[in-house]
Amino acid sequence: MTDAVKGPASYFPSIEKKYGRPVSEWKDLIRASPLTRHMELVGWLKSEHGLGHGHAGALVAHTLAEGNHPVGNHPEGNAR
């Protein structure tokens, strides 16, 4: 039996299907953004790219957790 994907990554198949872009592209956009805080990035994805709140939050959380974003340089970077 296959273990079910949990956490933010569980949203990835529906994100790709609904918005027509691979998750890697969304993560690249997040990393390239000058924004650093979780909710700033979520708001940006919602307003500029039309993502729903849950999908935007999942992408941002997963991307920031990878540590490849300038947010790591800010003590309050992941504050909501």
Side-chain angles (χ1 to χ4, degrees):
M1 191 180 336
T2 307
D3 291 331
V5 176
K6 297 179 183 178
S10 67
Y11 286 89
F12 291 175
S14 61
I15 290 170
E16 290 180 339
K17 182 177 181 182
K18 183 167 185 169
Y19 304 106
R21 284 182 156 172
V23 167
S24 61
E25 282 188 28
W26 292 113
K27 288 181 169 193
D28 288 344
L29 284 172
I30 292 166
R31 286 185 197 107
S33 172
L35 302 173
T36 60
R37 295 178 63 129
H38 179 91
M39 289 308 296
E40 290 175 329
L41 288 159
V42 169
W44 172 71
L45 287 172
K46 290 169 60 176
S47 66
E48 295 297 317
H49 297 283
L51 271 71
H53 185 82
H55 287 160
L59 286 167
V60 170
H62 200 270
T63 304
L64 295 181
E66 292 176 336
N68 297 327
H69 191 275
V71 73
N73 298 328
H74 301 279
E76 298 177 358
N78 282 333
R80 292 178 184 228

